[in-house]
């Protein structure tokens, strides 16, 4: 729903199976506005939608199996714009970097063979950039990750029951 203070009414948007310019899925999990005024909507199963305020239409970005240039999963749980205008999208299957000008996604997925990959693929509503440019990513079951975006490496902060100074839990919903 979009509320208009001027008219004091709501405009309702939902997914319409026969309209490719409708919202990609009616179950919305995340909404954010970027620095250019674009509205980005993360859905549960429909991927990522960008709302065009002028036309009232949606542009949809979905995962395409076998195409690593698309979003990694259609269940989007977090959207964050960094200081450089890059969008970071957290899904149930990894972190994605999206540069709006190129319209290409880059996936960051957990790999047991790479200790500097993200700790867990399930990102849950929590991405934030600190003043030093590091991205902080909360996961569902993999603790807190700090990403060095220049080197594209991750440092983990996970719960250690033997260390009272470790993070309290490996499920991080908010930063």
């Amino acid at each position: 729903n979009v509320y208009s203070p001027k008219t004091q009414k709501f405009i309702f948007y939902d997914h319409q199976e026969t309209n490719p310019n409708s919202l990609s899925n009616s179950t919305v999990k995340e909404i954010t506005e970027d620095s250019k005024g674009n509205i980005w909507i993360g859905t549960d199963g429909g991927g990522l939608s960008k709302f065009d305020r002028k036309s009232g239409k949606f542009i949809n970005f979905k995962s395409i199996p076998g195409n690593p240039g698309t979003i990694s999963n259609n269940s989007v749980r977090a959207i964050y714009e960094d200081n450089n205008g890059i969008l970071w999208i957290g899904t149930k299957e990894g972190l994605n970097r999206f540069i709006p000008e190129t319209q290409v996604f880059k996936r960051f997925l957990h790999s047991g063979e790479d200790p500097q990959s993200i700790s867990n693929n399930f990102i849950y509503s929590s991405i934030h950039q600190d003043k030093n440019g590091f991205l902080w990513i909360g996961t569902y079951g993999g603790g807190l990750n700090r990403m060095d975006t220049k080197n594209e490496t991750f440092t983990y902060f996970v719960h250690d029951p033997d260390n009272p100074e470790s993070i309290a839990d490996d499920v991080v919903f908010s930063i």
Side-chain angles (χ1 to χ4, degrees):
N1 286 282
V2 176
Y3 178 72
S4 169
K6 189 181 279 185
T7 64
Q8 296 186 10
K9 295 183 180 177
F10 288 93
I11 299 170
F12 177 70
Y13 294 95
D14 67 346
H15 174 68
Q16 299 163 7
E17 196 67 39
T18 58
N19 181 358
N21 297 115
S22 70
L23 185 62
S24 63
N25 187 290
S26 293
T27 305
V28 173
K29 293 293 185 179
E30 180 78 8
I31 301 174
T32 194
E33 181 177 10
D34 70 19
S35 59
K36 295 179 181 170
N38 297 306
I39 304 296
W40 296 89
I41 300 112
T43 69
D44 193 16
L48 181 68
S49 292
K50 176 184 172 185
F51 180 66
D52 182 327
R53 292 177 193 230
K54 292 178 184 165
S55 69
K57 295 180 180 178
F58 294 86
I59 299 166
N60 298 309
F61 301 91
K62 294 186 178 189
S63 178
I64 299 171
N67 184 344
T70 63
I71 195 166
S72 61
N73 185 273
N74 288 324
S75 183
V76 175
R77 299 299 175 123
I79 306 168
Y80 182 82
E81 181 184 25
D82 73 13
N83 297 337
N84 297 314
I86 296 170
L87 291 177
W88 295 90
I89 297 106
T91 73
K92 281 187 172 181
E93 196 175 315
L95 178 69
N96 298 261
R97 181 182 67 207
F98 181 72
I99 301 172
E101 291 77 25
T102 64
Q103 303 276 300
V104 174
F105 291 86
K106 180 172 181 179
R107 300 172 179 184
F108 296 91
L109 304 172
H110 174 71
S111 169
E113 298 171 6
D114 181 0
Q116 293 184 320
S117 70
I118 196 162
S119 68
N120 185 295
N121 285 332
F122 196 155
I123 314 301
Y124 206 95
S125 298
S126 53
I127 303 172
H128 183 74
Q129 186 174 37
D130 68 21
K131 64 182 178 180
N132 296 317
F134 290 106
L135 276 186
W136 292 85
I137 301 108
T139 69
Y140 190 86
L144 182 63
N145 286 249
R146 183 182 70 203
M147 180 184 188
D148 179 336
T149 56
K150 291 177 186 163
N151 298 321
E152 298 182 347
T153 58
F154 295 83
T155 303
Y156 315 148
F157 300 89
V158 294
H159 176 67
D160 177 354
D162 297 325
N163 180 357
E165 294 177 354
S166 71
I167 193 167
D169 196 272
D170 289 337
V171 176
V172 179
F173 289 113
S174 183
I175 299 174

